[in-house]
């Protein structure tokens, strides 16, 4: 079965639209998996949902053609608990607002990272929707065989991250539909130690949040071969896009996450623990 079929982007598309090119769907699915993102296969489960683009509202009423109608469209589906809670609330309720932030922020992340895999995209007609226009370049060369043994790295609490912070990150990530890395070398949201930036900066128990792509992409980026440079560019695009997104996404889902931007060292995205007013009480 192709990725196009397993992800629900089959002959008639997600909404009965034009047929989606299965090779394009496979190329996009492979890029998403290399980025470390889940794919909502068959439209079920959290992650990136693939389907066919519908005409935008302004083209449908005027009779003008929509150049992107029928092309592959991507949309982020949050975790089932957030989806169910948002469906039961009004549009102005905190949980509905949280879902909008999650889908819009993840849509922005997809638009930022996919060009690193040679895939050209444009914003869609709905909030958080991303339309795939075409393949504009080669995909990063990654091995299909077994991976070299990777350094496991420390688990969050072994790095000094507080148990309450770890639990809060996991709860927020589950609502958003994002994976959390068990240790610093695993794919997903990483929780690393948070070094103080000055003498009065108490970071006890806090986590510096980041993102790891799949081990296949990380391994290819660290290789000495001629293809490593492109894989490294894709790896950087993924890490930057996802780090930008997870601050908003996890914050909307009940995590107290704050940026610290000291001069002279990389920015830190600090997880402090649960927010005072999460959209869903646990």
């Amino acid at each position: 079965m192709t990725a196009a079929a397993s992800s629900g982007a089959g002959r008639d598309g997600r909404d009965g639209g034009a047929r989606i090119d299965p090779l394009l769907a496979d190329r996009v699915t492979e890029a998403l998996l290399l980025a470390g993102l889940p794919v909502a296969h068959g439209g079920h489960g959290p992650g990136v949902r693939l389907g066919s683009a519908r005409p935008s509202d302004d083209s449908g009423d005027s009779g003008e053609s929509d150049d992107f109608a029928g092309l592959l469209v991507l949309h982020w589906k949050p975790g089932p608990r957030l989806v169910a809670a948002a469906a039961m609330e009004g549009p102005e309720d905190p949980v509905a607002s949280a879902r909008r932030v999650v889908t819009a922020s993840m849509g922005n992340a997809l638009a930022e990272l996919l060009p690193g895999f040679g895939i050209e995209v444009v914003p869609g007609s709905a909030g958080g929707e991303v339309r795939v226009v075409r393949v504009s370049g080669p995909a990063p060369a990654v091995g299909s065989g077994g991976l070299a043994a990777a350094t496991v790295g420390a688990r969050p609490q072994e790095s000094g991250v507080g148990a309450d912070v770890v639990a809060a990150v996991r709860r927020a990530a589950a609502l958003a539909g994002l994976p959390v890395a068990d240790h610093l070398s695993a794919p997903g949201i990483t929780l690393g130690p948070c070094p103080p930036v000055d003498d009065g900066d108490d970071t006890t128990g806090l986590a510096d949040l980041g993102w790891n792509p799949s081990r296949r992409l990380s391994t290819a980026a660290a290789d000495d071969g001629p293809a490593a440079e492109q894989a490294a560019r894709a790896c950087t695009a993924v890490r930057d896009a996802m780090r930008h997104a997870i601050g908003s996404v996890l914050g909307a889902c009940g995590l107290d996450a704050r940026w610290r931007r000291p001069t002279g060292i990389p920015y830190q995205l600090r997880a402090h623990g649960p927010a005072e007013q999460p959209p869903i009480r646990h």
Side-chain angles (χ1 to χ4, degrees):
M1 180 181 293
T2 67
S6 64
S7 63
R11 178 175 300 275
D12 295 325
R14 182 186 65 190
D15 299 303
R19 175 185 172 89
I20 293 173
D21 181 354
L23 295 179
L24 179 61
D26 284 346
R27 173 73 181 268
V28 171
T29 299
E30 175 70 2
L32 296 171
L33 296 177
L34 286 174
L37 291 169
V39 177
H41 292 296
H44 302 291
V48 184
R49 184 178 181 186
L50 284 70
S52 60
R54 293 175 292 180
S56 59
D57 294 338
D58 53 356
S59 65
D61 294 338
S62 64
E64 298 177 359
S65 64
D66 183 346
D67 291 339
F68 301 121
L71 293 183
L72 187 62
V73 69
L74 311 178
H75 190 271
W76 182 262
K77 187 174 182 181
R81 189 175 183 195
L82 182 60
V83 171
M88 297 174 61
E89 303 292 341
E92 302 305 320
D93 287 297
V95 68
S97 176
R99 181 177 181 177
R100 288 194 298 270
V101 171
V102 170
T103 55
S105 297
M106 289 305 300
N108 290 338
L110 294 175
E112 289 179 22
L113 67 87
L114 284 174
F117 295 88
I119 298 169
E120 186 176 339
V121 300
V122 295
S125 58
E129 186 179 273
V130 177
R131 297 184 180 191
V132 178
V133 179
R134 63 182 64 87
V135 172
S136 59
V142 295
S144 57
L147 298 178
T151 303
V152 171
R155 298 183 183 276
Q157 288 177 255
E158 295 171 348
S159 300
V161 179
D164 58 332
V165 173
V166 176
V169 171
R170 291 190 179 278
R171 285 195 299 266
L175 290 178
L178 287 168
V180 178
D182 288 333
H183 50 78
L184 287 177
S185 297
I189 299 171
T190 59
L191 293 82
C194 196
V197 299
D198 54 48
D199 292 339
D201 186 21
D202 183 8
T203 61
T204 303
L206 305 187
D208 185 11
L209 301 179
W211 179 268
N212 277 345
S214 70
R215 288 189 178 90
R216 288 175 61 204
L217 185 61
S218 297
T219 299
D223 194 11
D224 294 329
E229 183 177 350
Q230 186 185 3
R233 287 197 300 268
C235 206
T236 298
V238 169
R239 286 192 169 116
D240 289 347
M242 288 304 299
R243 197 156 183 255
H244 293 159
I246 59 178
S248 300
V249 167
L250 298 184
C253 291
L255 180 71
D256 182 0
R258 312 174 203 172
W259 285 98
R260 183 67 187 264
R261 295 178 167 87
T263 58
I265 63 174
Y267 294 172
Q268 295 176 350
L269 176 57
R270 297 181 172 183
H272 290 254
E276 292 185 1
Q277 295 182 332
I280 298 177
R281 292 288 178 181
H282 296 276

